Amino acid sequence: MATRTSDFPFTIMDVVELLRLHIRRRSPDYIYADCPLCGSQRGKLCINLTKNAWCSNCCGDSGGMLALYAKAQNVSNATAYSEICDALLMGGFAPDREAKRQEHLQKEAVLSERAPTQVLHQTYSTLLGLLSLTPAHRKHLQEKRGFNDEQIAALGFKSTPPSYLCRSLTAKLIQLGCTVQGVPGFYMDDNGKWTVKFHQRTSGILIPYRNLDGMIQGLQIRLDRPLKKEGDPPDKGGAKYLWLASTSKTFGVSSGSPVHFVGDPCSRVVYVTEGALKADIAHVLMNRTFAATGGAGCVTQLDSLFESLRRNGAEEIIEAEDMDKYSNKGVSQGASKLYLLAKKHGLSCRRLTWNPNYKGIDDWQLALHRKNKTKEVTDMAFKRMTFKERYQCGLCDLSAIDAFIQEWEEAKDCTIPLREYLGLTDFEYAAFLQGGENEAFRQMMDSGRMCQRFRIYQLNLQPGKIIPFAFSGIDELRKAGYEQPPASEYCLVYDGSMIRPQTQSAFDVLERILDCYNDDLPADYHGRSVSISDVVELYDDENRTYYYCDTAGFVPVKFSPMLAKKGLPTGAKKSNGVE
């Protein structure tokens, strides 16, 4: 372990103890604790004992030991220094306290140095070669993630083995000439035997993290059952991904949170997102080059990769972090650091946005690729609409009735009378027979429909600005301290109208608006796809009603349109794409 030096009469470990941080994992030079800044309980606060520094991988913040105490206690650095010294008996450690601290450190597990790149690749590749992929996991990768069998094989996905095979698998690797010491996940058990850290409760799909040369540098597990901690509220989701690591074990080693790369090493443009599985999916669907970090705040791991990419001819980085970069401070800060890192290496950097109904770029791309199937179903439903239904929805004019009649005449197996086929009542059909598009028939058709006017308001999202409830439901809005949507945070992006049946409810109209202004946006529409947290106004000459787009439908709300900005934020682009 490296010697810790400090100009202060205390170390960062003393600050950790004073703040009573819950330590999750230890190594000789690092500890991982719950973050006191954002409240995350997943051990994402990395504390460097050698440098007396810290970095939060959940909220993206970092600094020295004074900053950690100051931010956690909401005091200045000067006050932090004074309070720490007071708590530690002014001027330094009490002798018995320092002795106990050293004794405690000596009892920690002895860890291994991380193995070289080639060793990691050989051991992990051989391990994956000994494993299989269960039918359930294959089905998930095919149906939920969009991969085919060839892609699954090329990317190297495998299922975690049962825990009772851990020791025999490790022995087999050693027999095959692989080195396991220094490889994350492997360690020596209490019986002095080498094994690997797989457990039933952490079973799932193994996802390889590869470097620029395609060599595996780490494995992540996509868990079958998310891990939740005791005391977590029922609505809080558990951890879905877990690194294969062995920091708490004898001769174990940390994962190191390697960066994943997939695509052309000499690509001019490289997309950056969070998570290897997400990057693999987007790469397959978009045929673009991707780099992926283990977490939104782990951008410093991209430093050496960007330098290599620049030497290979890269010119531009596309930031493609999840859409919660507009509502999550940690993700937003990580995205901002990505710009600075790209600039450091002389690379331009731009932000990619998409339909915010999809959190990740993989979700968005999967939805687009599945849209053809959905379109077929939609087209079938459209074809089943009668002439009257289409006319009352403004989807055709009166002259379209001739095409319906021709369709009816050519349908060999149709036994429905023409009147029913057109969807007309006896009176309407009688009026039609008097002369096709006569005035009486037109008046009857028009009496069943009306013009619905509406306005769409969307959050004024600018780079670096955080709105906690952005693209979230009404519950998150209220958790952020609002009873109603704050109109001052919104922009009026569209004022339009549509023809609808007189009998159609307001909520049916809202669903039509949601369908019409999503992905395939009309030429005169200049906002984002309508999504959660948008506000839609339905109005006429006498009444105005406002609805918040919630996770499951629309919720009536109060809204003050005079406070909303007019038009898009400065610099915003139409639709979805690169800003």
PDB file of all heavy atoms in Angstrom, residues 319 331-341 351 463-464:
ATOM      1  N   GLU A 319     -22.266  13.217 -27.409  1.00  0.00           N
ATOM      2  CA  GLU A 319     -22.705  12.835 -26.056  1.00  0.00           C
ATOM      3  C   GLU A 319     -24.120  12.280 -26.151  1.00  0.00           C
ATOM      4  O   GLU A 319     -25.054  12.976 -26.553  1.00  0.00           O
ATOM      5  CB  GLU A 319     -22.642  14.057 -25.136  1.00  0.00           C
ATOM      6  CG  GLU A 319     -23.127  13.788 -23.718  1.00  0.00           C
ATOM      7  CD  GLU A 319     -24.557  14.222 -23.515  1.00  0.00           C
ATOM      8  OE1 GLU A 319     -24.830  15.436 -23.512  1.00  0.00           O
ATOM      9  OE2 GLU A 319     -25.409  13.318 -23.361  1.00  0.00           O
ATOM     10  N   VAL A 331     -25.955  12.888 -13.648  1.00  0.00           N
ATOM     11  CA  VAL A 331     -25.837  12.601 -15.077  1.00  0.00           C
ATOM     12  C   VAL A 331     -25.484  13.881 -15.839  1.00  0.00           C
ATOM     13  O   VAL A 331     -24.650  13.868 -16.751  1.00  0.00           O
ATOM     14  CB  VAL A 331     -27.141  11.994 -15.621  1.00  0.00           C
ATOM     15  CG1 VAL A 331     -27.036  11.735 -17.121  1.00  0.00           C
ATOM     16  CG2 VAL A 331     -27.461  10.700 -14.897  1.00  0.00           C
ATOM     17  N   SER A 332     -26.093  14.998 -15.454  1.00  0.00           N
ATOM     18  CA  SER A 332     -25.818  16.273 -16.111  1.00  0.00           C
ATOM     19  C   SER A 332     -24.365  16.697 -15.930  1.00  0.00           C
ATOM     20  O   SER A 332     -23.704  17.139 -16.877  1.00  0.00           O
ATOM     21  CB  SER A 332     -26.749  17.358 -15.560  1.00  0.00           C
ATOM     22  OG  SER A 332     -26.454  18.616 -16.114  1.00  0.00           O
ATOM     23  N   GLN A 333     -23.845  16.551 -14.715  1.00  0.00           N
ATOM     24  CA  GLN A 333     -22.456  16.924 -14.462  1.00  0.00           C
ATOM     25  C   GLN A 333     -21.499  16.020 -15.223  1.00  0.00           C
ATOM     26  O   GLN A 333     -20.473  16.470 -15.738  1.00  0.00           O
ATOM     27  CB  GLN A 333     -22.175  16.881 -12.965  1.00  0.00           C
ATOM     28  CG  GLN A 333     -22.847  18.004 -12.183  1.00  0.00           C
ATOM     29  CD  GLN A 333     -22.540  17.949 -10.699  1.00  0.00           C
ATOM     30  OE1 GLN A 333     -22.168  16.904 -10.158  1.00  0.00           O
ATOM     31  NE2 GLN A 333     -22.704  19.067 -10.024  1.00  0.00           N
ATOM     32  N   GLY A 334     -21.834  14.732 -15.294  1.00  0.00           N
ATOM     33  CA  GLY A 334     -20.998  13.818 -16.059  1.00  0.00           C
ATOM     34  C   GLY A 334     -20.967  14.201 -17.529  1.00  0.00           C
ATOM     35  O   GLY A 334     -19.918  14.170 -18.171  1.00  0.00           O
ATOM     36  N   ALA A 335     -22.137  14.583 -18.075  1.00  0.00           N
ATOM     37  CA  ALA A 335     -22.203  15.002 -19.472  1.00  0.00           C
ATOM     38  C   ALA A 335     -21.390  16.272 -19.699  1.00  0.00           C
ATOM     39  O   ALA A 335     -20.706  16.410 -20.717  1.00  0.00           O
ATOM     40  CB  ALA A 335     -23.657  15.221 -19.876  1.00  0.00           C
ATOM     41  N   SER A 336     -21.441  17.204 -18.747  1.00  0.00           N
ATOM     42  CA  SER A 336     -20.672  18.448 -18.873  1.00  0.00           C
ATOM     43  C   SER A 336     -19.170  18.167 -18.864  1.00  0.00           C
ATOM     44  O   SER A 336     -18.399  18.784 -19.617  1.00  0.00           O
ATOM     45  CB  SER A 336     -21.031  19.399 -17.727  1.00  0.00           C
ATOM     46  OG  SER A 336     -22.392  19.761 -17.775  1.00  0.00           O
ATOM     47  N   LYS A 337     -18.737  17.229 -18.015  1.00  0.00           N
ATOM     48  CA  LYS A 337     -17.315  16.878 -17.951  1.00  0.00           C
ATOM     49  C   LYS A 337     -16.857  16.220 -19.247  1.00  0.00           C
ATOM     50  O   LYS A 337     -15.689  16.327 -19.636  1.00  0.00           O
ATOM     51  CB  LYS A 337     -17.053  15.952 -16.768  1.00  0.00           C
ATOM     52  CG  LYS A 337     -17.191  16.640 -15.417  1.00  0.00           C
ATOM     53  CD  LYS A 337     -16.967  15.662 -14.276  1.00  0.00           C
ATOM     54  CE  LYS A 337     -17.128  16.354 -12.925  1.00  0.00           C
ATOM     55  NZ  LYS A 337     -16.949  15.417 -11.796  1.00  0.00           N
ATOM     56  N   LEU A 338     -17.790  15.560 -19.914  1.00  0.00           N
ATOM     57  CA  LEU A 338     -17.467  14.930 -21.186  1.00  0.00           C
ATOM     58  C   LEU A 338     -17.055  15.981 -22.219  1.00  0.00           C
ATOM     59  O   LEU A 338     -16.098  15.774 -22.988  1.00  0.00           O
ATOM     60  CB  LEU A 338     -18.694  14.152 -21.682  1.00  0.00           C
ATOM     61  CG  LEU A 338     -18.510  13.247 -22.890  1.00  0.00           C
ATOM     62  CD1 LEU A 338     -17.526  12.132 -22.588  1.00  0.00           C
ATOM     63  CD2 LEU A 338     -19.849  12.648 -23.294  1.00  0.00           C
ATOM     64  N   TYR A 339     -17.724  17.121 -22.215  1.00  0.00           N
ATOM     65  CA  TYR A 339     -17.385  18.206 -23.128  1.00  0.00           C
ATOM     66  C   TYR A 339     -15.972  18.721 -22.857  1.00  0.00           C
ATOM     67  O   TYR A 339     -15.186  18.963 -23.777  1.00  0.00           O
ATOM     68  CB  TYR A 339     -18.387  19.354 -22.980  1.00  0.00           C
ATOM     69  CG  TYR A 339     -19.732  19.076 -23.593  1.00  0.00           C
ATOM     70  CD1 TYR A 339     -20.657  18.259 -22.965  1.00  0.00           C
ATOM     71  CD2 TYR A 339     -20.082  19.619 -24.826  1.00  0.00           C
ATOM     72  CE1 TYR A 339     -21.896  17.988 -23.520  1.00  0.00           C
ATOM     73  CE2 TYR A 339     -21.322  19.360 -25.401  1.00  0.00           C
ATOM     74  CZ  TYR A 339     -22.222  18.545 -24.740  1.00  0.00           C
ATOM     75  OH  TYR A 339     -23.445  18.275 -25.303  1.00  0.00           O
ATOM     76  N   LEU A 340     -15.648  18.899 -21.578  1.00  0.00           N
ATOM     77  CA  LEU A 340     -14.321  19.403 -21.209  1.00  0.00           C
ATOM     78  C   LEU A 340     -13.230  18.415 -21.588  1.00  0.00           C
ATOM     79  O   LEU A 340     -12.155  18.802 -22.050  1.00  0.00           O
ATOM     80  CB  LEU A 340     -14.279  19.684 -19.698  1.00  0.00           C
ATOM     81  CG  LEU A 340     -15.232  20.765 -19.187  1.00  0.00           C
ATOM     82  CD1 LEU A 340     -15.163  20.860 -17.666  1.00  0.00           C
ATOM     83  CD2 LEU A 340     -14.907  22.116 -19.814  1.00  0.00           C
ATOM     84  N   LEU A 341     -13.514  17.133 -21.399  1.00  0.00           N
ATOM     85  CA  LEU A 341     -12.534  16.109 -21.730  1.00  0.00           C
ATOM     86  C   LEU A 341     -12.300  16.051 -23.242  1.00  0.00           C
ATOM     87  O   LEU A 341     -11.158  15.902 -23.700  1.00  0.00           O
ATOM     88  CB  LEU A 341     -13.025  14.757 -21.217  1.00  0.00           C
ATOM     89  CG  LEU A 341     -12.001  13.630 -21.099  1.00  0.00           C
ATOM     90  CD1 LEU A 341     -10.859  14.033 -20.176  1.00  0.00           C
ATOM     91  CD2 LEU A 341     -12.669  12.368 -20.571  1.00  0.00           C
ATOM     92  N   ARG A 351     -24.302  17.335 -28.287  1.00  0.00           N
ATOM     93  CA  ARG A 351     -25.272  16.541 -27.523  1.00  0.00           C
ATOM     94  C   ARG A 351     -26.317  15.939 -28.446  1.00  0.00           C
ATOM     95  O   ARG A 351     -26.849  16.606 -29.335  1.00  0.00           O
ATOM     96  CB  ARG A 351     -25.949  17.407 -26.471  1.00  0.00           C
ATOM     97  CG  ARG A 351     -27.188  16.797 -25.832  1.00  0.00           C
ATOM     98  CD  ARG A 351     -27.612  17.557 -24.596  1.00  0.00           C
ATOM     99  NE  ARG A 351     -26.687  17.335 -23.499  1.00  0.00           N
ATOM    100  CZ  ARG A 351     -26.862  17.814 -22.270  1.00  0.00           C
ATOM    101  NH1 ARG A 351     -27.928  18.544 -21.990  1.00  0.00           N
ATOM    102  NH2 ARG A 351     -25.975  17.568 -21.333  1.00  0.00           N
ATOM    103  N   PRO A 463     -28.731  23.483 -21.970  1.00  0.00           N
ATOM    104  CA  PRO A 463     -27.572  22.724 -21.494  1.00  0.00           C
ATOM    105  C   PRO A 463     -27.157  23.128 -20.083  1.00  0.00           C
ATOM    106  O   PRO A 463     -26.995  24.315 -19.785  1.00  0.00           O
ATOM    107  CB  PRO A 463     -26.487  23.082 -22.522  1.00  0.00           C
ATOM    108  CG  PRO A 463     -27.261  23.385 -23.778  1.00  0.00           C
ATOM    109  CD  PRO A 463     -28.516  24.068 -23.300  1.00  0.00           C
ATOM    110  N   GLY A 464     -27.009  22.128 -19.227  1.00  0.00           N
ATOM    111  CA  GLY A 464     -26.566  22.387 -17.854  1.00  0.00           C
ATOM    112  C   GLY A 464     -27.687  22.692 -16.887  1.00  0.00           C
ATOM    113  O   GLY A 464     -27.473  22.683 -15.677  1.00  0.00           O
TER     114      GLY A 464
END
